[in-house]
Each structure stands twice: as C-alpha cells, then as structure tokens.
Amino acid sequence: MYKVKVYVTLRESVLDPQGKAVQQSLSSLGYNGVEDVRIGKYMELQFDDTVTDVEGTVKEVCEKLLSNPVIEDYRYEIEESAKQ
Amino acid sequence: MYKVKVYVTLRESVLDPQGKAVQQSLSSLGYNGVEDVRIGKYMELQFDDTVTDVEGTVKEVCEKLLSNPVIEDYRYEIEESAKQ
C-alpha cells in the first residue's frame, strides 16, 4: 500500500482569480496583512500492492488527469503505508 | 514576510464524491491499482511584516473563511521568506 500526496498549483505566470477573490475577502474581513493568495489542489491517492511502478504511474496520472500541464505544475510525495 | 501553506481536507467520515469520480476516471483509463482518492485544497498565503501574530491570524482565517470546520480539517505550515 502506498499513499501518494499530490499538490497541483497554478504556474507563477498564470493569474489566479480565485486566489485574488479570497485575498479581497480577507481584506474586507479586516485582514489587510495578506498580500497574496494562490489556490491549488491537494489530492491523496491510495495505491494497492498490484502497482509495481508507483512513481511512474503517479507521473502519468498527474499529467493525464490530475493536472493541466499547460498552466499547472505538480509535485508529489510517496509514502509507504500499512494496510488500514 | 511569511509564506503560509494551508491544506484543507474533508474529514475521514465525510464522503468525497469528487474523489470518487476521479478514482472511477482513473479506473476507466486503466489505472485499477488506485483504491481511493480524496481531494482537498492547497493554498499559499503571503503575509507582510505588519502582521504580528501570524499563527493566530492563520488559525482565524482558516476557521472563518478557508475551511468549513463542520466537514473539513485544516493544517498549515508557516515559513519565513525573504522579500521577493
């Protein structure tokens, strides 16, 4: 069993209107010290033992389905986990 | 300047239909080894130096705006960062 944590973020050069909206909401709630907010996705995938090349599979899955490589970057962490 | 990374995840007991949909998509693409997918949010907040109690502010902001404490958990990491 492997637990994989995937983080997908917008590339630096891409505008993040959702983050901007959150930053303006914070500002209107009185939190003026927040200069910038960027919003991404966080995913946890549980792989079973039938998968032999976990890292290769994670890369494929990130590029095909979980992120849009044109505007997003991804990174991942693989943890071995005991059967729960 | 502080960079704060916030991770918001659904509580274990809460169903995650979005994650289920991703898992089924992966399965139909041939990735049958993915047993479970849970989807959360990842946010990066940039605080300026006017904020004195960064940790307290982050907790407030997470509870008021960034997460729904009824169904979601959050965790955060605070990093000191140089002016970019």
Side-chain angles (χ1 to χ4, degrees), chain A residues 3-6 42-46, chain B residues 9 36-39:
Chain A
K3 186 174 174 178
V4 181
K5 297 178 178 178
V6 177
Y42 168 70
M43 286 164 275
E44 286 179 0
L45 284 75
Q46 198 85 39
Chain B
T9 46
D36 190 35
V37 179
R38 308 235 354 136
I39 295 187

Side-chain angles (χ1 to χ4, degrees), chain B:
Chain B
M1 297 277 288
Y2 293 92
K3 186 174 174 178
V4 180
K5 297 178 177 179
V6 177
Y7 307 86
V8 177
T9 46
L10 279 175
R11 287 175 185 245
E12 279 302 318
S13 54
V14 178
L15 276 179
D16 182 357
Q18 194 187 0
K20 195 76 196 156
V22 169
Q23 193 246 314
Q24 285 168 355
S25 297
L26 287 172
S27 180
S28 70
L29 286 171
Y31 300 102
N32 298 306
V34 184
E35 280 187 345
D36 190 35
V37 179
R38 308 235 354 136
I39 295 187
K41 280 174 285 183
Y42 168 68
M43 285 163 277
E44 286 179 359
L45 283 74
Q46 198 84 39
F47 281 73
D48 65 22
D49 293 323
T50 62
V51 182
T52 46
D53 177 15
V54 176
E55 183 154 7
T57 308
V58 171
K59 279 188 189 171
E60 268 181 48
V61 155
C62 285
E63 277 168 33
K64 280 194 195 165
L65 190 77
L66 303 181
S67 78
N68 175 353
V70 178
I71 54 165
E72 290 173 330
D73 288 320
Y74 64 87
R75 64 191 169 83
Y76 55 85
E77 290 162 13
I78 298 175
E79 287 170 12
E80 212 155 340
S81 68
K83 185 85 189 167
Q84 283 163 337

